[in-house]
Amino acid sequence: IKHIEKILKTDDRLWSKDDDKKILKNKLVELVNNDDEKLLELLIKDSEAKKHFFKKIKSSTVFLKDRFLQFITMNEFLPDSFTAFENEIGLSGDKKLITQKDEISLVFPHKDCILEGGQTREEVGRDEIFYNTILAPDEIDRIKEPKVLVNWKKFDKDGKHEVKEISKQDNLIIKGNNLLALYSLLPKYRGEIKLIYIDPPYNTGNDGFGYNDKFNHSAWLAFMQNRLEVARDLLADDGVIFVQCDDNEQAYLKVLMDEVFYKEKFVNCITVKMSESSGKKMAHTKSRLPKIKEYLLVFKKNSINLNSVKIEKQKWDDEYNIFLENFSIEDKRFIDELALKENKTSKDLKKIDKILSKVKSINIDKEVKKIGISGKDKILNWKYENSYRIVRTAAGSSVKTLADKKRRNNKNVFFCVLSSRDNIPYVVKADYSRSAKSPRVQVLFAEDYLSVSVGDLWNDINTTGLEVEGGVKLKSGKKPEKLLQRIIDLASNENDIVLDFFAGAGTTGAVAHKMKRRYILIEQMDYIHDLPEARIINVIKGDQTGISKAVNWKGGGSFIYTELLEWNQKYVDQLEKTKTGKEVLKIYKKIEKEEFYKYKYEPKKFDLKKFKELDLKEQKKALLDILDMNHLYVNKSSIDDTTFKVDKKDKELTKIFYEEK
């Protein structure tokens, strides 16, 4: 132990900046989990470390990561006053740090960092203050039970109202731990969610919201796995999930989702342009290329039926330079409808030929001159308005073969031929020369090519100027409403349910509301009132930012707000905000009174004198370790327990929500 400690002292990253110069245990674990090259090089160079923690296999040397992790996390390694205190009150034992199948990463990202007094969130990485709340299988008791719901409110165009009825037609905003809220949705919504979109913490330590999302890598994966497993159960059989991520975790998240949803349920990995190639980021191109993209990982539950979504081309193609006289929009629609018909008859084709027999072609410039339009913008607008009768021709050997055959008995310039291969009627311009080897014979209509079907590269969505969207302030972190519009367009229909359990700025709910979908938003942070709640109130009032004009949004609708009833969670929140040992002691006295402890904890051995000797950070962690995380929120099964003082109205509405009335 002393020898390994001596080696580690040569790595500056592992030392605290305090006077006592302690080794940062959690930092060490993080480096090991990330296979840090500098640390591995340090260990392999030392013969004693190499002997204990490396194994030779033929010509390769393998690092025994699990053995080293077990060594550095045992209580004998770098013992301190905090370890001694934990041992004394019954919280010692094997603390596994590698995620296992049945563990639960419980807390929302900001809860993994307990801040020192006076420390800002920007300084959060300066010292060893990273605490994961991961529950091992033997610690998970009643955590998955549905919770009591309180503080019900309904919002519509007339303001805030008392909630009297609840149905699946209601839109919901739920405040509370998102994993526990998802479990609470299961009894009512299992198999009924058509679309899930989430934009989780990216594990970068740099996010626009109020939490620090710099997770230990394995903890982040456990955190995501727990939530994705419940999300899968909530999805309808034809449901789809979109998860947004960046390079930090995309590869790992894909593998995780392959496991949770099964590899064969993978649909797409969509690349989305999320920033512009300009500004300050371009100053660092010598070290790496600017980051302008993110990803959407798309998985289905079982079946899938995506809607057709088209993207408009940004400019007119001048190849479309033939104008069709004596051809109406009704004529074009008839040909389009016939193209979709399964069993076409010769009578149908004769109807098309009759329409085409009266058609004459003229160069588009001559037509513009004839009708007397001038000015670039006016001419362009006229082209778009008449795109159903503006065409170009293209070569096609199979179409030419059919046209050669038919024009022997058909003297019209325009007629149609039916392809036996794809059962599609093609319009032909038959005045081509017999000697031409590859004549432009097939007629293509401009309106059919003004837009293209969306693919897996989305670089057409504007990501600047989003500050005004929704009427809520957030410097970074907002997603464009147009992005959510496309996702919702693709994977849902009116009145389907859309779920976002990382609600953030509320973009998903705002867009779903405008697009006449039902939605459920979940958010744990207190800004739920300033961001998603306030934003959707703006939508109800007729907000005209974002996609409002595109969908002709005029306002209206409603949503219901509710919260999971906190119990031990209120102490977690209070501990995060405390700045003195005196305040921590007050919280301990309240916890002691309620006695919602971990079963391993021995209250009689809690030595107040020794507790006061711990620094503020250690005191907070000790109390967090004492709390039973199964009781962060009040379980529905305990709704009538007088300890929790659930009022009559909240009892009634909770029971209605779970359809027990």
Side-chain angles (χ1 to χ4, degrees), residues 595-624:
E595 295 186 354
F596 280 96
Y597 307 132
K598 280 183 180 174
Y599 68 92
K600 294 178 181 178
Y601 168 61
E602 298 181 48
K604 291 177 182 177
K605 294 183 179 179
F606 191 94
D607 189 327
L608 270 177
K609 186 180 178 182
K610 287 182 180 178
F611 180 74
K612 289 176 182 178
E613 290 171 359
L614 301 174
D615 65 29
L616 180 65
K617 180 175 56 178
E618 291 172 335
Q619 287 178 345
K620 290 182 178 186
K621 187 177 187 310
L623 293 195
L624 280 178

Side-chain angles (χ1 to χ4, degrees), residues 39-55:
L39 177 65
L40 290 176
E41 192 177 338
L42 198 65
L43 293 170
I44 204 169
K45 278 183 178 178
D46 181 83
S47 58
E48 190 74 9
K50 188 174 181 180
K51 173 184 169 184
H52 286 284
F53 303 114
F54 292 84
K55 183 178 182 180

Side-chain angles (χ1 to χ4, degrees), residues 235 238-242 254 257-258 261-270 296-306 455-456 490-491:
L235 273 180
D238 59 348
V240 187
I241 182 169
F242 286 69
K254 168 65 167 65
M257 293 185 75
D258 281 341
F261 289 92
Y262 307 117
K263 195 172 182 180
E264 60 272 20
K265 307 299 183 186
F266 172 68
V267 178
N268 282 107
C269 176
I270 299 167
L296 288 168
L297 288 173
V298 187
F299 280 75
K300 61 184 178 181
K301 175 74 171 285
N302 282 312
S303 60
I304 189 171
N305 184 24
L306 294 177
D456 63 358
L490 272 171

Side-chain angles (χ1 to χ4, degrees), residues 342-354:
E342 285 189 22
N343 300 311
K344 301 173 185 71
T345 65
S346 57
K347 193 175 179 181
D348 293 326
L349 299 182
K350 283 179 182 178
K351 287 180 181 178
I352 296 177
D353 282 343
K354 187 176 179 181

Side-chain angles (χ1 to χ4, degrees), residues 308-405:
S308 174
V309 173
K310 300 269 191 177
I311 303 173
E312 287 188 7
K313 287 186 175 178
Q314 293 184 337
K315 62 186 235 176
W316 180 270
D317 185 348
D318 288 331
E319 283 278 308
Y320 291 92
N321 57 9
I322 301 169
F323 180 81
L324 301 184
E325 292 183 327
N326 304 323
F327 187 76
S328 69
I329 194 164
E330 289 76 22
D331 295 334
K332 178 64 166 61
R333 297 296 168 258
F334 177 80
I335 294 172
D336 290 342
E337 287 171 17
L338 189 61
L340 298 172
K341 186 178 175 183
E342 285 189 22
N343 300 311
K344 301 173 185 71
T345 65
S346 57
K347 193 175 179 181
D348 293 326
L349 299 182
K350 283 179 182 178
K351 287 180 181 178
I352 296 177
D353 282 343
K354 187 176 179 181
I355 289 169
L356 296 173
S357 66
K358 62 184 180 179
V359 172
K360 293 180 181 179
S361 64
I362 181 173
N363 179 276
I364 198 165
D365 291 334
K366 288 183 179 179
E367 180 65 20
V368 167
K369 191 175 180 181
K370 187 172 84 174
I371 59 179
I373 301 177
S374 62
K376 191 176 178 181
D377 291 341
K378 286 184 179 180
I379 291 171
L380 188 59
N381 288 337
W382 176 84
K383 285 179 179 179
Y384 277 104
E385 288 169 6
N386 289 274
S387 59
Y388 68 90
R389 53 178 173 174
I390 297 174
V391 302
R392 74 177 180 90
T393 52
S397 56
S398 58
V399 175
K400 179 184 178 294
T401 302
L402 293 169
D404 285 343
K405 199 174 188 181

